[in-house]
Amino acid sequence: MMMTTHNTLRLCIDPEATERFRAAVHSRDPVSGMTHNFYRYPARFSPQFARAAIETFTQHGDVVLDPFMGGATTLVEAGLLGRIGIGLDINELACFLARVKTTPLTGADIKAIRLWLRKAIPNLNMRRMAKRPYDWIAAGYQRNISTRQTWPIRKTLELALDRVSLLNSASQQNFVRAVLLRTGQWALDCRSDVPSAAGFRNKLEQFLDEMIEGVRAYRQAAALSDSDLPNNRNSTRTLILHRSAEGIDDEPAITQYGPPKLVLTSPPYPGVHVLYHRWQIFGRRETPAPFWITSTFDGNGLSHYTFGDRKNPNLRTYFDIAQLTFRSIARIAQRDTLIVQMVAFSDASWQLPKYLETMRAAGLEELKMSNASDSRDGRLWRIVPNRKWYADQRGSIGAAEEVVLFHRPST
Ligand SMILES: C[S@@+](CC[C@H](N)C(=O)[O-])C[C@H]1O[C@@H](n2cnc3c(N)ncnc32)[C@H](O)[C@@H]1O
């Protein structure tokens, strides 16, 4: 990679790599493979994009940081490509997912998990008494899932979760919780018809098989690239922290790795309403049940996860928090760290200039990729039709505009 200066700073990579990167940005392939499909984390970017960025801009053993890791797409691809992956998020659910998606289970783990399900299935029976999780209920984590249509799913989850402690390692227990989470999302989130308890049990078995295949494939592929890691750093190849990106330059657990080679990320989006922390029951009512299923805690309200209240005039809080977090990211980086972001906007005409100004104020300067501009402004844009996001001013938006931005610390 070479950087030269004309009027704007340019990121020069060879034309073939540029073409591969551009194709990955525009890829419409469904998210699939390895552990990527363990959960439909809202606003996740594609594994193809993450892979292309990591392959293009880093080498084996380099450190790749995702300070807003969400469903951990970056971390999974970093692990598969033999890079050190560091991910953080203020959403504990994201950290749970990252852990499960990057933990390669052993053959003995898989055997224990299969046996657990075989014994659990006959017990997931509506005539049995479920042990009610009263602490979680009192704290509101079962909100909106005890309706006439949804209670059999809630009860099946209660019966299954009560048996999780029969597994004897944390990775086995977390894996089973993840299978229940995925099945719960399938059964409850954004559906107009809720399946029966029998339908839930069938899907649980199907997802367990699929996810075991995924984690096996991950283990095999990650083990291959592991053997190439320098300095025998295999055991520390993935670091997951539940915390804000603000202040990471003072976090010893991260700074001990030295400056990252690549920061690859998607922060919360300006003006775009994404529910990272809830499922939508019948499209109207929201539930924090994913936290109960995974035994994690909710961080209080949408604004906690989205850089503040989206109704704030001119998204002031959004841009204030963006500046604080990216200032910490700039400080942890060094001059040749590349910061690659995929950002979506509800109205790019005013939000993009404001976003770029915020990056400058945070201590970052923009680079444009040579030969890869797909628009008049020299940036790589991607239009995503039928996005189910909600923009503040315009109500439901039909298509989202997403742009790939490149930055590096300004001196
Ligand atoms: C667009 S999502 C990331 C999606 C991710 N690229 C993927 O592929 O799944 C943005 C994430 O930023 C997290 N977040 C919001 N504010 C944060 C902060 N101050 N520090 C760290 N993470 C934050 C949210 O919880 C959310 O998971």
Side-chain angles (χ1 to χ4, degrees):
M1 178 175 48
M2 191 181 72
M3 294 166 192
T4 55
T5 315
H6 300 289
N7 285 338
T8 43
L9 281 163
R10 296 238 166 248
L11 178 63
C12 299
I13 51 174
D14 75 68
E16 254 177 56
T18 305
E19 203 32 58
R20 274 199 305 275
F21 185 76
R22 193 217 306 256
V25 167
H26 292 298
S27 167
R28 293 269 166 85
D29 293 348
V31 175
S32 66
M34 305 291 166
T35 55
H36 284 300
N37 251 344
F38 277 20
Y39 187 71
R40 280 183 288 115
Y41 197 86
R44 56 191 173 162
F45 48 48
S46 77
Q48 290 88 336
F49 165 67
R51 171 165 284 254
I54 295 168
E55 280 180 333
T56 309
F57 302 116
T58 65
Q59 311 273 331
H60 275 242
D62 281 345
V63 174
V64 178
L65 167 70
D66 189 340
F68 308 100
M69 79 181 156
T73 317
T74 300
L75 254 60
V76 171
E77 286 301 320
L80 290 169
L81 293 166
R83 275 57 164 178
I84 311 284
I86 301 178
L88 41 131
D89 204 292
I90 46 168
N91 187 355
E92 206 184 338
L93 180 64
C95 299
F96 169 87
L97 289 166
R99 235 164 254 127
V100 176
K101 289 168 82 170
T102 59
T103 301
L105 297 179
T106 63
D109 288 331
I110 291 173
K111 218 166 141 188
I113 288 166
R114 283 201 188 285
L115 184 65
W116 178 90
L117 187 72
R118 227 182 11 257
K119 290 191 172 163
I121 287 287
N123 287 285
L124 307 183
N125 180 322
M126 289 303 99
R127 283 188 295 277
R128 280 187 181 262
M129 269 283 260
K131 192 162 136 216
R132 308 293 321 269
Y134 287 112
D135 289 352
W136 292 95
I137 296 168
Y141 285 91
Q142 286 197 351
R143 204 157 55 245
N144 292 325
I145 57 167
S146 295
T147 65
R148 193 168 47 79
Q149 298 99 321
T150 57
W151 75 263
I153 305 298
R154 187 215 72 215
K155 182 166 179 179
T156 309
L157 284 164
E158 283 175 347
L159 289 162
L161 287 168
D162 191 33
R163 302 180 62 86
V164 165
S165 60
L166 297 174
L167 288 158
N168 56 23
S169 81
S171 41
Q172 293 169 13
Q173 294 184 1
N174 284 339
F175 187 86
V176 162
R177 283 185 189 276
V179 182
L180 291 168
L181 180 75
R182 182 173 179 194
T183 318
Q185 187 183 42
W186 166 81
L188 296 173
D189 188 24
C190 296
R191 283 189 71 132
S192 49
D193 58 326
V194 174
S196 64
F200 184 94
R201 288 194 298 272
N202 290 339
K203 206 66 180 174
L204 185 64
E205 291 183 283
Q206 182 198 319
F207 281 153
L208 186 121
D209 283 342
E210 273 178 39
M211 288 168 73
I212 282 178
E213 280 324 302
V215 83
R216 267 207 185 110
Y218 177 84
R219 185 182 64 193
Q220 274 161 14
L224 276 180
S225 54
D226 243 0
S227 57
D228 292 338
L229 271 183
N231 308 329
N232 217 7
R233 290 161 92 181
N234 301 9
S235 57
T236 53
R237 57 185 287 166
T238 306
L239 175 70
I240 296 157
L241 295 178
H242 175 218
R243 56 156 298 149
S244 169
E246 187 186 343
I248 47 168
D249 46 326
D250 279 332
E251 170 66 67
I254 301 180
T255 51
Q256 64 165 331
Y257 286 88
K261 185 77 183 159
L262 174 69
V263 176
L264 175 62
T265 201
S266 268
Y269 302 145
V272 179
H273 175 180
V274 177
L275 278 179
Y276 297 111
H277 66 314
R278 294 283 185 268
W279 289 343
Q280 283 183 294
I281 310 295
F282 300 122
R284 295 185 310 275
R285 280 166 288 170
E286 294 172 8
T287 183
F291 293 93
W292 159 55
I293 297 168
T294 54
S295 192
T296 55
F297 296 98
D298 187 5
N300 295 317
L302 178 68
S303 61
H304 180 70
Y305 303 100
T306 54
F307 285 0
D309 189 344
R310 72 203 158 93
K311 293 206 170 69
N312 212 276
N314 305 320
L315 299 175
R316 207 190 57 239
T317 322
Y318 176 92
F319 287 109
D320 285 352
I321 301 177
Q323 186 174 326
L324 287 172
T325 50
F326 276 92
R327 181 170 296 146
S328 293
I329 293 164
R331 285 188 181 141
I332 208 172
Q334 64 185 14
R335 189 78 171 139
D336 73 345
T337 299
L338 188 65
I339 294 136
V340 180
Q341 305 175 62
M342 173 85 84
V343 191
F345 302 92
S346 61
D347 183 352
S349 66
W350 72 271
Q351 291 163 352
L352 175 63
K354 179 78 187 148
Y355 194 84
L356 294 172
E357 185 192 316
T358 304
M359 293 299 113
R360 277 193 296 276
L364 297 173
E365 62 189 7
E366 192 185 6
L367 299 144
K368 287 186 181 165
M369 199 174 185
S370 285
N371 316 316
S373 60
D374 282 13
S375 67
R376 273 171 303 156
D377 74 356
R379 299 188 181 90
L380 260 171
W381 285 90
R382 164 189 150 95
I383 304 295
V384 188
N386 305 319
R387 264 280 201 235
K388 274 212 237 133
W389 290 339
Y390 298 91
D392 199 25
Q393 285 102 353
R394 292 195 275 166
S396 178
I397 50 176
E401 301 166 285
E402 295 180 350
V403 70
V404 181
L405 298 175
F406 300 96
H407 285 85
R408 70 174 179 185
S410 37
T411 57

